[in-house]
Amino acid sequence: MKLVQLLGSKNKSDFAIYLGHTIAALGKRVLVVDSTNNNEYLHSYIQLEGNEQLYEFQDVDLLIDTKSLQDLMTKLSNANESLENYDCIIVDANDNSTIVNDWPKFHYVVYVSDNTRFTINQDIDILHDYVDSTGSTVLKRVHFESAHKIPNDYLDLLINNRLEFKLIDDPVEYDDLEHKLRNFMQHEGIIPYNKLPKDYKKLLKSIVTEMYEIGHKDFDASNSRGPLSFFFGRFKTKENLYNETNFINHDEQTQTVLVLKDTKQSSESNKSDEKTNRNKNSKEVVGG
């Protein structure tokens, strides 16, 4: 099992889901753990029902409000799941909770950043805590450019050059499409992977091939999706998936009956009109 840590105060929920979706394309079972301090996934992608906390989002599972490994294991157990059932677990945190809490050593750590002043100011403490807690001075980085560019060494100076950042790929250039696709995913419950810009897909591919130590050709060969994958984009809880499917089928049957009924009424109406026209024409002929 791969344990992946996403660090940074930037909203990374869409990035985490895209990454999980890319890994799932290799035939892996993926869980994204929401360890954010403001429950980003709960308010963006999830509609709670009862006490459920584990949800299926297309081919990625989402677990909300989870701050530690023990918390993770307890919630998975309550959902009749376990750590061993997943090939990859991605933990998304926008504070130092995944650094100071009892998480084990992560196999793969990525710092996700952008140019907004809010993100930079929030990330300073996170990055200092990362160095203090792990002793590591090198950190993989994914950077999303904004419309306003800043010097490349700006953040380095703010953290006193305590970390050396290793860009996994070129920065993803600012594109308004990213925000449109995020809104689409949140409201429609479908992961619009195929609509992502080429540089975004290239970034995801670079991360996954590095994480699993596979070549790009092997990745392309494994990354083939069936034609029905698009139809499983709706957000469903594990408990209500079956009931919802039955309801949809029943609703479709009802609509079909209504259509047939309307067609029959329309046909009878047409026949009546034709009969009236024939009688009218007959009278006109007799009268002439």
Side-chain angles (χ1 to χ4, degrees):
M1 179 191 70
K2 296 281 187 183
L3 190 60
V4 180
Q5 181 182 36
L6 299 183
L7 288 177
S9 58
K10 171 181 165 59
N11 185 336
K12 306 180 296 301
S13 56
D14 55 334
F15 173 76
I17 292 174
Y18 289 140
L19 178 60
H21 183 75
T22 307
I23 296 172
L26 299 178
K28 311 289 185 182
R29 192 172 182 213
V30 181
L31 172 68
V32 174
V33 177
D34 180 6
S35 190
T36 63
N37 55 20
N38 55 349
N39 291 322
E40 288 180 0
Y41 295 78
L42 172 62
H43 300 303
S44 299
Y45 301 97
I46 298 172
Q47 294 180 354
L48 278 176
E49 298 182 8
N51 296 321
E52 294 180 327
Q53 294 176 307
L54 180 65
Y55 295 83
E56 293 178 356
F57 191 87
Q58 202 161 319
D59 52 6
V60 178
D61 284 359
L62 305 179
L63 184 66
I64 65 169
D65 192 24
T66 304
K67 304 300 183 184
S68 67
L69 179 64
Q70 184 59 50
D71 195 13
L72 169 61
M73 292 190 295
T74 299
K75 289 176 179 176
L76 285 179
S77 178
N78 292 339
N80 297 318
E81 293 283 3
S82 66
L83 296 175
E84 293 74 19
N85 292 345
Y86 293 95
D87 301 299
C88 181
I89 297 178
I90 301 171
V91 183
D92 180 2
N94 57 7
D95 57 15
N96 62 1
S97 60
T98 56
I99 299 173
V100 299
N101 289 349
D102 66 334
W103 292 95
K105 184 176 180 180
F106 288 87
H107 302 108
Y108 199 83
V109 182
V110 181
Y111 166 50
V112 183
S113 63
D114 62 25
N115 288 345
T116 62
R117 186 174 179 182
F118 176 85
T119 298
I120 294 171
N121 287 333
Q122 295 293 315
D123 287 352
I124 292 173
D125 289 338
I126 297 175
L127 295 172
H128 280 305
D129 287 338
Y130 178 78
V131 176
D132 294 339
S133 299
T134 65
S136 177
T137 58
V138 179
L139 187 58
K140 298 182 191 305
R141 184 181 186 182
V142 165
H143 187 68
F144 290 84
E145 290 283 6
S146 63
H148 179 71
K149 302 291 181 69
I150 62 174
N152 293 331
D153 60 348
Y154 181 63
L155 184 60
D156 298 346
L157 296 175
L158 292 178
I159 62 172
N160 300 319
N161 294 296
R162 299 189 67 195
L163 273 168
E164 179 185 355
F165 296 113
K166 296 289 188 181
L167 275 175
I168 297 177
D169 210 315
D170 293 332
V172 178
E173 294 293 331
Y174 174 79
D175 189 343
D176 187 54
L177 178 62
E178 175 191 346
H179 303 286
K180 292 179 180 178
L181 293 180
R182 177 188 300 165
N183 288 333
F184 173 84
M185 182 159 57
Q186 291 179 358
H187 290 284
E188 300 299 328
I190 297 172
I191 302 175
Y193 177 85
N194 289 333
K195 295 184 180 297
L196 287 174
K198 290 183 179 180
D199 58 343
Y200 204 136
K201 290 182 182 178
K202 181 172 176 286
L203 168 65
L204 295 169
K205 182 177 180 178
S206 296
I207 294 174
V208 175
T209 53
E210 180 179 2
M211 186 187 308
Y212 284 95
E213 299 180 343
I214 59 176
H216 283 201
K217 290 185 178 180
D218 293 332
F219 173 86
D220 293 335
S222 301
N223 191 17
S224 57
R225 297 185 174 276
L228 297 179
S229 62
F230 175 81
F231 295 100
F232 294 93
R234 286 292 172 190
F235 192 81
K236 304 178 180 66
T237 62
K238 290 179 176 296
E239 182 178 349
N240 294 313
L241 178 61
Y242 178 77
N243 292 333
E244 182 178 345
T245 303
N246 285 343
F247 175 78
I248 293 174
N249 291 337
H250 174 73
D251 188 52
E252 288 176 349
Q253 293 172 359
T254 303
Q255 291 178 3
T256 303
V257 173
L258 290 175
V259 170
L260 290 175
K261 184 178 179 181
D262 290 341
T263 303
K264 182 178 180 181
Q265 289 176 347
S266 177
S267 176
E268 291 176 353
S269 177
N270 290 338
K271 289 180 180 178
S272 177
D273 292 341
E274 290 174 2
K275 182 177 180 181
T276 301
N277 291 333
R278 285 199 303 269
N279 291 336
K280 183 178 179 181
N281 292 336
S282 298
K283 290 180 181 179
E284 289 177 351
V285 171
V286 172

